């Protein structure tokens, strides 16, 4: 079983809706990530949080807004999305700076459909 | 340009047979290479991680090899099972930066095991 928990597993939303994806880990990891994955493609990095601070934003549109309330939680707020944003959104965590061996632990993902 | 290329793109084998998946990379400097298994609609799960000094690493029926000189890795699956049907992704980590280095994902190999 994955130790990174994502909710909801499935989300359907309209283009005017506001929703949030949630991610939680209790492994004491200090780096957390959001990835977007389209069908039959590898995951694409969106954001990286390191010690609860946003350290990488891969030029993601502002309709995606990440938030890291504490070291165990990571949210992705969604607003005014487009149908092409439909994808599997993966959360991941790793031990963090200075101790990162490339070890990424992924959650099961949130399947997002934008109508 | 840092790249990770996997072959074949897809593979169909009969249950009980062995197979080998390939990964070539041009990532430099190199930190480590990881193989992930991803079932359809689920998050990737780590199979092995290999650093520069490691040539072979096994995890049950999965054996990964790494040739850091030629920048090639392979994943060998023995006595395949129906549950091995999945996408296998090769991920290479570059030099560790302050938040752990950039991960370069391959496009994946789609393996289908038939009865």
């Amino acid at each position: 079983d994955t130790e990174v928990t994502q909710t909801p597993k499935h989300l359907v939303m309209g283009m005017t809706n506001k929703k949030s994806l949630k991610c939680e880990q209790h492994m004491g990891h200090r780096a957390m990530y959001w990835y977007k994955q389209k069908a039959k493609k590898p995951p694409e990095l969106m954001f990286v949080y390191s010690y609860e601070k946003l350290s990488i934003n891969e030029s993601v549109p502002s309709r995606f807004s990440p938030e890291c309330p504490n070291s165990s939680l990571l949210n992705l707020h969604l607003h005014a999305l487009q149908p092409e944003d439909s994808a599997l959104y993966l959360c991941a965590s790793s031990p963090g700076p200075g101790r990162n061996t490339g070890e990424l632990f992924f959650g099961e993902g949130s399947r997002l459909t934008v109508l | 340009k840092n790249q990770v290329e996997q072959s074949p793109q897809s593979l169909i084998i009969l249950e009980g047979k062995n197979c080998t998946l390939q990964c070539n990379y041009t990532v430099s400097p190199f930190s480590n290479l990881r193989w992930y298994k991803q079932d359809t609609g689920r998050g990737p799960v780590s199979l092995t991680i290999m650093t520069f000094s490691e040539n072979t690493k096994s995890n049950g029926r999965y054996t990964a090899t790494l040739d850091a000189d030629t920048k090639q890795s392979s994943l060998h699956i023995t006595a395949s099972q129906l549950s091995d049907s999945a996408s296998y992704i090769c991920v290479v980590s570059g030099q560790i930066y302050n938040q752990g280095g950039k991960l370069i994902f391959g496009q994946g190999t789609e393996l289908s095991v038939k009865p």
Side-chain angles (χ1 to χ4, degrees), chain A:
Chain A
D1 287 341
T2 181
E3 296 180 74
V4 177
T5 304
Q6 289 187 243
T7 56
K9 290 193 184 333
H10 301 276
L11 177 63
V12 179
M13 61 185 291
M15 288 189 285
T16 58
N17 292 157
K18 285 186 181 180
K19 297 286 184 183
S20 297
L21 305 181
K22 298 186 183 301
C23 176
E24 188 169 1
Q25 58 87 15
H26 295 289
M27 294 179 281
H29 289 174
R30 304 316 299 266
M32 295 187 76
Y33 310 73
W34 279 116
Y35 283 85
K36 174 184 177 180
Q37 187 177 28
K38 302 286 269 186
K40 299 193 183 301
K41 296 289 187 183
E44 295 177 3
L45 183 65
M46 299 175 72
F47 302 104
V48 180
Y49 272 82
S50 177
Y51 287 98
E52 301 160 47
K53 296 277 192 289
L54 182 63
S55 57
I56 295 178
N57 177 342
E58 291 286 323
S59 302
V60 179
S62 59
R63 57 185 184 269
F64 294 92
S65 175
E67 178 197 18
C68 189
N70 59 57
S71 60
S72 299
L73 295 174
L74 184 66
N75 299 322
L76 186 63
H77 303 298
L78 314 170
H79 175 54
L81 295 193
Q82 303 296 312
E84 58 265 28
D85 295 322
S86 298
L88 182 68
Y89 287 84
L90 294 164
C91 174
S93 71
S94 66
R99 295 184 289 130
N100 191 331
T101 62
E103 180 91 45
L104 270 191
F105 293 82
F106 285 92
E108 292 285 7
S110 293
R111 171 69 62 189
L112 173 66
T113 301
V114 182
L115 301 176

